[in-house]
Amino acid sequence: MMRLDDKTALITGAAGGIGRAVAERYAAAGARVAIADLDAEAAEAAAEAIRHAGGEALALAMDVTDEAAVEAGVARLVAHWGRLDIALANAGIQHIQPLHELSLADWRRVLAVHLDGAFLITRAALRRMYAQGGGCLLYMGSVHSKLASPLKAPYVTAKHGLLGLCRTVAKEGAAHGVRSNLICPGFVRTPLVDRQIPDQARALGISEEAVIRDIMLKDTVDQEFTTLEDIAEVALHLAAFPSAALTGQSVVASHGWYMQ
Ligand code: NAD
């Protein structure tokens, strides 16, 4: 099994869903993990669960769109553990609406969490990683970093944008020992996905079962959801990978929904 002993990791949006699963996997592999989330109480509960299982974890209350909060969170982590080896920009939200009805406020809200959030984490992490001579940036993209679906314009736009940021970090970071990769999951049953099933059913006038069968899993090779464990495994592999042979890449884990 790949190990992350003596590494420290920051994961945003890690109080639940995919971020929490990755945090638990990293901790089990020996890393010290900071759980950064808007929901401070849930972040503390996630950190406590990791400590209870014998790992080392720190909860950070952080809105990733808030420049001062991101700077303060990273500073607190570095004061606590002395270094930052892995940063995963994972916090994300979804919004289901056709473009012609979309408000500028909703467009901006989704882009801000994904893109402003990823930029602020990237900048804070790079400053630290350049000073210490290396590190690993990871981004939670999506199959929607590669293709579009109707009703998800801001999300699809933001996820495509992360591909550009990831590749730029790979180019600029190389001279400083920093690698950068994008993880692109298919549908995983988390609150983010569970919330959009009734929203899509309503917007399209079809049943929730039809949303799952005819939209979400239609193009997979086996009509299966991707799991939290699948994504945690990919995230561990990318974090532990020993060289810059893997940088500027995107790994799609989607049961064949999207083949690159
Ligand atoms: P989730 O809703 O279960 O978890 C998201 C977490 O992010 C929550 O804990 C939430 O409190 C936090 N968050 C939201 N806004 C924040 C902010 N401004 N600052 C800090 N934290 C904030 O969602 P998830 O499914 O686990 O999604 C995690 C990431 O994976 C997202 O980027 C999402 O786009 C991506 N993703 C999810 C799927 C899927 O099918 N679930 C597929 C592809 C990509």
Side-chain angles (χ1 to χ4, degrees):
M1 173 176 129
M2 294 186 121
R3 299 287 308 173
L4 295 174
D5 297 304
D6 302 322
K7 302 286 186 199
T8 66
L10 169 66
I11 306 176
T12 67
I18 292 174
R20 180 167 174 169
V22 175
E24 289 175 351
R25 194 81 175 80
Y26 281 6
R32 292 165 290 190
V33 287
I35 311 277
D37 206 284
L38 199 53
D39 186 339
E41 224 170 277
E44 187 48 53
E48 185 49 42
I50 286 174
R51 290 192 290 263
H52 190 73
E56 219 180 313
L58 172 71
L60 298 171
M62 180 192 291
D63 177 347
V64 295
T65 68
D66 178 342
E67 185 172 14
V70 172
E71 290 294 323
V74 171
R76 196 167 150 224
L77 181 159
V78 171
H80 202 65
W81 287 324
R83 52 188 293 117
L84 173 59
D85 299 293
I86 303 154
L88 167 57
N90 166 80
I93 56 173
Q94 180 59 279
H95 182 83
I96 304 293
Q97 209 169 26
L99 266 166
H100 67 285
E101 292 175 1
L102 191 62
S103 71
L104 180 58
D106 282 331
W107 168 264
R108 282 187 173 148
R109 192 169 53 84
V110 176
L111 261 63
V113 176
H114 293 274
L115 292 181
D116 296 357
F119 162 66
L120 290 172
I121 289 293
T122 298
R123 192 182 60 183
L126 286 182
R127 285 176 179 164
R128 186 63 219 168
M129 289 172 182
Y130 287 2
Q132 74 194 17
C136 169
L137 258 295
L138 291 170
Y139 301 91
M140 198 55 69
S142 164
V143 163
H144 286 111
S145 300
K146 307 285 180 169
L147 54 73
S149 295
L151 309 177
K152 297 183 176 176
Y155 186 87
V156 168
T157 303
K159 291 303 193 191
H160 276 66
L162 288 177
L163 190 55
L165 178 62
C166 168
R167 288 171 170 166
T168 307
V169 172
K171 296 247 175 184
E172 289 190 15
H176 303 273
V178 172
R179 297 181 301 113
S180 167
N181 289 292
L182 183 74
I183 302 164
C184 299
F187 283 105
V188 182
R189 289 305 290 262
T190 65
L192 179 134
V193 162
D194 287 339
R195 273 191 298 271
Q196 68 182 266
I197 295 171
D199 288 353
Q200 287 213 58
R202 213 173 306 115
L204 298 169
I206 60 176
S207 69
E208 295 189 14
E209 294 69 35
V211 170
I212 293 173
R213 186 187 60 236
D214 300 334
I215 297 177
M216 291 183 165
L217 304 181
K218 177 170 169 285
D219 293 323
T220 59
V221 296
D222 52 10
Q223 287 68 56
E224 295 278 351
F225 278 98
T226 301
T227 66
L228 294 171
E229 293 71 26
D230 292 330
I231 302 309
E233 196 61 36
V234 172
L236 174 61
H237 183 80
L238 288 172
F241 196 80
S243 82
L246 259 187
T247 194
Q249 301 305 306
S250 40
V251 176
V252 182
S254 70
H255 284 257
W257 169 17
Y258 183 81
M259 299 185 188
Q260 50 184 354

